[in-house]
Amino acid sequence: VVPIVGSLNPLFTLFGSILFLGEHLSTKSKSGFALLLVATFFLAQGSKRSRVDTKTIGLAVLAAILFAISSIAGKDAFSHSTFLGVLISSRIAAATVGIIIGLSIKGARQELQSMLKPKKTHTSSKPTLLWLTFIGQASGSIGFILVNIAIAQGSAAIVNALQAVQYAAIVIVAWLGGKRLQTLLQEDTS
């Protein structure tokens, strides 16, 4: 699913940026964009065993379209307002939509309720998991802010195409961390 979203999001963003923002890429930027899309495609290739059904593909395409709309709207907002004003407003809007989804959809409501119930975990791994959670969320927050700074200052399509770098980083971290990360995160590869 991630390769579908990762490959289509920059394309939809590019088309939307051209249509709605009047953005035009230079020849060098077009070449770089194409290279990043090819890199995304190769980095995100799954195994031949992993088949995805039509519904999942449809949801992935919809997600890519929504991410593209978000990037294009963000770029337009950044060009008409202050960076912090847009960033804070967008987070308030995201939280509001999240709360509405959490309260109105039965499955989401049940999942939220299950998150609030205490779970039995190994006490020895609790501090490590808390630190991993904190580091992960802090890194994600900083990354989100940096992506928005890049969109505000440059091309939303190029920034989205650069997500291929994220795939490369995931591959490198997984390769370097291997079994240790798998054990630390209590993941099962079955």
Side-chain angles (χ1 to χ4, degrees):
V1 173
V2 173
I4 297 168
V5 176
S7 299
L8 293 178
N9 180 21
L11 288 175
F12 293 147
T13 304
L14 177 62
F15 295 137
S17 295
I18 291 169
L19 285 173
F20 299 110
L21 302 177
E23 187 174 298
H24 297 284
L25 298 180
S26 67
T27 304
K28 284 182 181 179
S29 293
K30 287 177 188 173
S31 299
F33 183 84
L35 184 62
L36 287 168
L37 282 180
V38 170
T40 302
F41 176 77
F42 283 116
L43 284 170
Q45 285 296 306
S47 67
K48 292 185 179 185
R49 292 181 289 142
S50 58
R51 298 285 180 230
V52 181
D53 64 16
T54 307
K55 181 181 176 185
T56 303
I57 292 172
L59 289 172
V61 170
L62 177 61
I65 291 169
L66 293 173
F67 280 128
I69 291 169
S70 173
S71 294
I72 295 163
K75 175 66 179 174
D76 192 43
F78 286 133
S79 65
H80 291 93
S81 188
T82 65
F83 177 79
L84 272 179
V86 172
L87 187 70
I88 292 169
S89 300
S90 70
R91 295 305 84 211
I92 291 170
T96 304
V97 170
I99 290 169
I100 290 169
I101 289 171
L103 295 176
S104 63
I105 298 174
K106 183 180 178 182
R109 196 170 47 249
Q110 289 171 339
E111 190 172 332
L112 284 172
Q113 288 170 345
S114 73
M115 288 171 50
L116 297 175
K117 292 179 186 173
K119 296 179 184 177
K120 294 181 181 179
T121 60
H122 302 290
T123 55
S124 61
S125 65
K126 222 174 192 178
T128 304
L129 292 176
L130 287 174
W131 274 107
L132 284 175
T133 301
F134 177 77
I135 290 168
Q137 291 303 308
S139 298
S141 297
I142 293 167
F144 177 80
I145 291 169
L146 293 174
V147 164
N148 278 280
I149 290 170
I151 288 173
Q153 295 180 354
S155 166
I158 295 294
V159 171
N160 282 335
L162 280 167
Q163 293 299 318
V165 174
Q166 180 180 16
Y167 295 131
I170 290 170
V171 168
I172 291 167
V173 168
W175 182 70
L176 291 174
K179 290 283 186 190
R180 183 168 187 264
L181 278 177
Q182 210 174 14
T183 304
L184 194 61
L185 297 173
Q186 298 175 350
E187 288 193 352
D188 182 17
T189 57
S190 61

